[in-house]
Amino acid sequence: MHIGMFCDMYMPHVSGVTNHIRLYSAALQQLGHEVTVFTYGDRSEADNGCRVVRSPALPWGDTGWNFPLGLSSEATSAMSTLDVAHAHHPFASCLTPLKHCAPRGVPVVFTNHTRYDLYAETYVSWIPVRLRQGAITRYLTHLNSRVSMTICPSAELVSWLAGYGVNREKLTVFPNGIDTRPFQQPNTRRSKSDFGLSDEDFLLCYVGRVAHEKNVTLLLDAFTSAVGRNPRLSLLVVGDGPTRAESERMISERGLAGRVVFTGLMPYEDVPGVLAAADAFVSASVSEVYPLVVVEACAAGLPVIGVRSPGVGEIVSTGDSGLLTAENTESLSAAMVSLSTDARLHARLREGALDVAVAHEITASAGRLADLYARLVDSADLNSTGASR
């Protein structure tokens, strides 16, 4: 099959979605399929070995998003040869295949990677909530009525979309997969001393966007409380975002600058080596759909401490591969202290985390995705009225 992956942003911008596309594109190609990524932006950007077709666009500041300025001739030509189109953002990258591929009988798949209502609450809170929710409801319902199938990384997301009126028959649960090998055997293993920390420290690691929707303030509040009860605790924050400066200032004012290290954004290929230095992964986010970074932490053998929520809760089983808590400082702090002071608990949860990773290996997951594509293509062929594709 010739598979088109459509996205509003792509590498070198690093996010859970861009990494998802990169991983599946490579795995599908290894299975013998042809994959083309359709995106927007600077055509001179490196494309990491996969065929990427970029159309002209204007960048939206440093967000990674682009304002499309139309399609390149290369894009329209490449789209004419697709067997299936898979969109990963609900905006231009989904509307494009609906316009150019669906009329030829090519199935259009959409993966809903994000709880758009939570992001709207953070970034356009100035719009009255009824208007926000109304716009999201109308748009998602209309979009999902037009695609062949909507993939939901978690069962919770199915319920969320169905609550907006989306037809459940079009919704399919398909958990995200990862390449476990780099996390189990990183090329370069980092140590705690690389970050100015002692080898005797119990190092918690957060990897992700440093932003309000990730509940970073709660994470830092909980750590502040926990380190007061276990001075051996330290925290590594890997990533960047709009609240990084505020977070660093908060930690400095609390006298914990020596216990919390902010690395800033780093190349994705360096993350496995960083996780190798940690003892556990921690996040307070409740906005995740099915966070790859949690599966990656499990692959690195890190028990996960997190807030009990649908996204993380469908990956981590509390008491088996991590500790899930209520969304408050006291509960999250207590989990940090408990894991860092109980060696037997840590060892048991580490084994459980490795088991989680095995169930998410990318090659098997890509094979299941290819089977799903094939069924859609076969169904489209059966339903064809003879129109040329």
Side-chain angles (χ1 to χ4, degrees):
M1 286 182 290
H2 184 189
I3 302 159
M5 297 288 191
F6 291 77
C7 48
D8 288 358
M9 64 175 77
Y10 191 56
M11 311 296 288
H13 178 81
V14 178
S15 70
V17 175
T18 60
N19 186 48
H20 172 95
I21 297 167
R22 182 186 65 83
L23 286 172
Y24 276 92
S25 295
L28 288 164
Q29 288 184 143
Q30 289 177 355
L31 292 173
H33 302 287
E34 180 184 357
V35 180
T36 301
V37 176
F38 296 85
T39 190
Y40 302 90
D42 187 349
R43 293 170 61 83
S44 68
E45 291 173 346
D47 293 325
N48 299 317
C50 179
R51 184 191 180 193
V52 179
V53 177
R54 298 179 187 268
S55 291
L58 293 175
W60 286 17
D62 60 356
T63 64
W65 293 97
N66 296 287
F67 183 79
L69 298 176
L71 293 174
S72 66
S73 58
E74 183 184 7
T76 54
S77 175
M79 275 189 275
S80 69
T81 67
L82 294 179
D83 295 299
V84 64
H86 191 162
H88 294 270
H89 292 112
F91 309 115
S93 58
C94 193
L95 298 177
T96 294
L98 284 172
K99 178 179 179 180
H100 294 272
C101 300
R104 296 187 294 104
V106 175
V108 177
V109 179
F110 167 55
T111 292
N112 196 117
H113 288 283
T114 302
R115 280 282 303 269
Y116 297 103
D117 58 332
L118 297 179
Y119 274 73
E121 184 177 324
T122 298
Y123 291 105
V124 290
S125 58
W126 49 272
I127 298 177
V129 63
R130 291 183 64 182
L131 290 178
R132 290 201 314 265
Q133 293 299 325
I136 292 171
T137 298
R138 287 190 298 272
Y139 188 77
L140 289 179
T141 302
H142 175 68
L143 189 73
N144 284 277
S145 71
R146 298 180 62 194
V147 299
S148 304
M149 174 183 290
T150 296
I151 289 177
C152 301
S154 70
E156 182 271 342
L157 202 59
V158 169
S159 298
W160 176 71
L161 284 172
Y164 279 106
V166 175
N167 184 353
R168 280 184 177 268
E169 292 183 0
K170 282 197 172 183
L171 304 177
T172 298
V173 178
F174 192 95
N176 295 327
I178 68 163
D179 183 358
T180 60
R181 292 169 298 177
F183 296 91
Q184 294 171 345
Q185 298 177 330
N187 291 330
T188 303
R189 301 179 67 90
R190 305 293 295 275
S191 67
K192 295 171 186 177
S193 61
D194 290 335
F195 303 101
L197 302 170
S198 168
D199 288 341
E200 302 303 313
D201 287 344
F202 188 95
L203 179 58
L204 303 169
C205 184
Y206 166 78
V207 180
R209 185 169 165 81
V210 185
H212 288 300
E213 76 271 11
K214 300 298 186 181
N215 245 356
V216 173
T217 298
L218 173 59
L219 172 63
L220 298 179
D221 286 344
F223 177 80
T224 301
S225 174
V227 78
R229 287 179 282 171
N230 181 7
R232 290 181 52 244
L233 276 171
S234 55
L235 174 65
L236 192 64
V237 178
V238 180
D240 207 344
T243 63
R244 178 184 170 188
E246 173 189 334
S247 299
E248 289 182 309
R249 183 169 58 253
M250 178 192 304
I251 288 300
S252 179
E253 290 172 351
R254 295 175 180 180
L256 295 175
R259 309 305 303 167
V260 181
V261 178
F262 292 82
T263 70
L265 198 63
M266 63 172 52
Y268 177 78
E269 57 268 22
D270 293 346
V271 173
V274 172
L275 290 177
D279 297 294
F281 183 86
V282 62
S283 174
S285 177
V286 295
S287 65
E288 311 299 334
V289 169
Y290 202 88
L292 285 176
V293 68
V294 170
V295 183
E296 292 166 349
C298 289
L302 301 185
V304 175
I305 299 173
V307 172
R308 189 176 293 106
S309 58
V312 177
E314 291 185 48
I315 299 172
V316 177
S317 177
T318 193
D320 291 325
S321 51
L323 299 175
L324 301 181
T325 78
E327 190 181 357
N328 61 63
T329 299
E330 181 179 353
S331 298
L332 192 59
S333 173
M336 294 178 186
V337 174
S338 177
L339 188 61
S340 63
T341 56
D342 188 334
R344 286 192 295 180
L345 174 65
H346 182 263
R348 176 164 57 83
L349 297 186
R350 181 181 185 280
E351 292 303 314
L354 291 171
D355 289 340
V356 167
V358 171
H360 291 79
E361 206 284 318
I362 187 65
T363 301
S365 183
R368 292 191 293 271
L369 183 60
D371 289 342
L372 185 153
Y373 291 153
R375 290 196 296 272
L376 288 174
V377 171
D378 289 344
S379 178
D381 287 341
L382 288 173
N383 294 330
S384 173
T385 60
S388 173
R389 292 184 52 197

